Amino acid sequence: MSLNTLEEIASYIVSEGKGILAADESNPTCGKRFDSIGVESTEENRRDYREMLFRASGMKGNIGGVILFDETIRQNAKDGTPLVNIISDQGALPGIKVDKGLKPVGNTEETVTVGLEGLDDRLKEYVSMGAKFTKWRAVIKIGESIPTDECINANMKALADYAKLVQDNGMVPMVEPEVLMDGDHSIEECFDASDRSLKSLFKHLQENEVNIKGTILKPNMITSGSKSATQADVDEVARRTLDCLIANVPSELPGITFLSGGQSDLIATAHLDAMNKIGGFNWKLSFSYGRALQAPALKAWMGKTENMFISQDALSHRAKMNRLASLGQWAEELEDE
Ligand code: 13P
């Protein structure tokens, strides 16, 4: 694969319906996932699990990029092959999460994502290790009188500063302004918080002269809060998400890859498919799912080597279903084949 420019890298990741496998859980988050199947989160177990995922046959043709955590980009497979090489051999580009997590803003419930300090040096090391793209996640909460404009602006400014530095180092920045699903808010409130976040993000990206053609957006979908008594259906989520994106995202952006944010695997696929069936936009609309790609594979694995093939089949299946959804060619009946 010879991909020389930021535009080529970004376009490759989302070409032909391909999407991204988010496997960049921090060690504590990976611990939570492993707790759910009774597996201890050791460095070796994390390596074995991820090696198994990256070797799944369904990576090829369905997954264009894999986001890694710092520990994983440095790891070798059991046979000594760097995990980065396994990913590349599957036709996917290695990416790396580079933010350093969330810091509370004063005494409030709001947070700002940190990690700009020392970022340039870290990026230079990741480039030397083969990373082609990066991720930075900003988190916006909906609640009583929040999100505030101050919180949105501080987070979006950090995303834009990060994106500029990443492009200066020759990698594609994924910008992730995640409005959390947590809470009992309405879909309208989710629309409003997402609309304000995206407006602020693209204003800051423009001010920093970030090359939009070499950037990938990783947003939430516009949904009802996970604890809301009224849950919007698939068609409403698809329409409102498209309305919000069309109002805010420049058409020259090559790809929008959604996070799953706690949606079930099937619903995340159904939403993506519904949007692509509606159409009417220029960007590729695809996936960058963590839980919605991995959940069935994790459950099938249970930490046992003898479950490796069924676990890999589960990941391959979800990867394929989501590629079809990115092309607007998914149907529920295909889930049983
Ligand atoms: P989920 O799809 O599980 O939300 O994870 C995607 C991700 O990378 C969040 O930052």
Side-chain angles (χ1 to χ4, degrees), residues 137-204:
R137 173 174 177 254
V139 173
I140 304 296
K141 275 199 189 100
I142 300 177
E144 190 71 36
S145 312
I146 59 170
T148 60
D149 285 340
E150 293 71 31
C151 171
I152 289 178
N153 281 327
N155 272 297
M156 301 310 138
K157 166 89 170 61
L159 266 173
D161 290 348
Y162 137 86
K164 182 67 185 160
L165 211 51
V166 169
Q167 289 192 337
D168 289 347
N169 280 286
M171 292 182 286
V172 166
M174 292 185 85
V175 287
E176 179 177 9
E178 176 173 6
V179 175
L180 293 179
M181 279 175 77
D182 306 352
D184 58 4
H185 53 267
S186 64
I187 191 167
E188 287 82 6
E189 287 171 281
C190 177
F191 186 103
D192 179 65
S194 305
D195 182 60
R196 287 163 60 206
S197 300
L198 291 172
K199 274 198 173 56
S200 171
L201 173 62
F202 283 98
K203 180 177 85 74
H204 283 108

Side-chain angles (χ1 to χ4, degrees), residues 22 24 135 137 176 178 218 259-262 288-291:
D24 60 322
K135 175 187 120 170
R137 173 174 177 254
E176 179 177 9
E178 176 173 6
K218 174 163 178 164
L259 59 97
S260 60
S288 174
Y289 295 157
R291 284 162 285 178

Side-chain angles (χ1 to χ4, degrees), residues 206-280:
Q206 197 181 19
E207 278 171 14
N208 276 10
E209 296 181 356
V210 171
N211 174 3
I212 296 295
K213 291 184 183 159
T215 302
I216 292 178
L217 173 68
K218 174 163 178 164
N220 53 285
M221 296 181 195
I222 309 298
T223 64
S224 313
S226 53
K227 295 203 187 79
S228 169
T230 324
Q231 289 292 320
D233 65 13
V234 170
D235 191 53
E236 185 173 7
V237 169
R239 285 178 191 281
R240 290 204 193 235
T241 305
L242 284 181
D243 286 349
C244 192
L245 293 173
I246 289 167
N248 290 298
V249 184
S251 63
E252 74 256 30
L253 185 98
I256 298 179
T257 59
F258 291 103
L259 59 97
S260 60
Q263 297 179 32
S264 77
D265 47 351
L266 282 188
I267 289 288
T269 305
H271 284 153
L272 180 60
D273 180 66
M275 284 184 253
N276 280 299
K277 283 197 164 86
I278 295 169

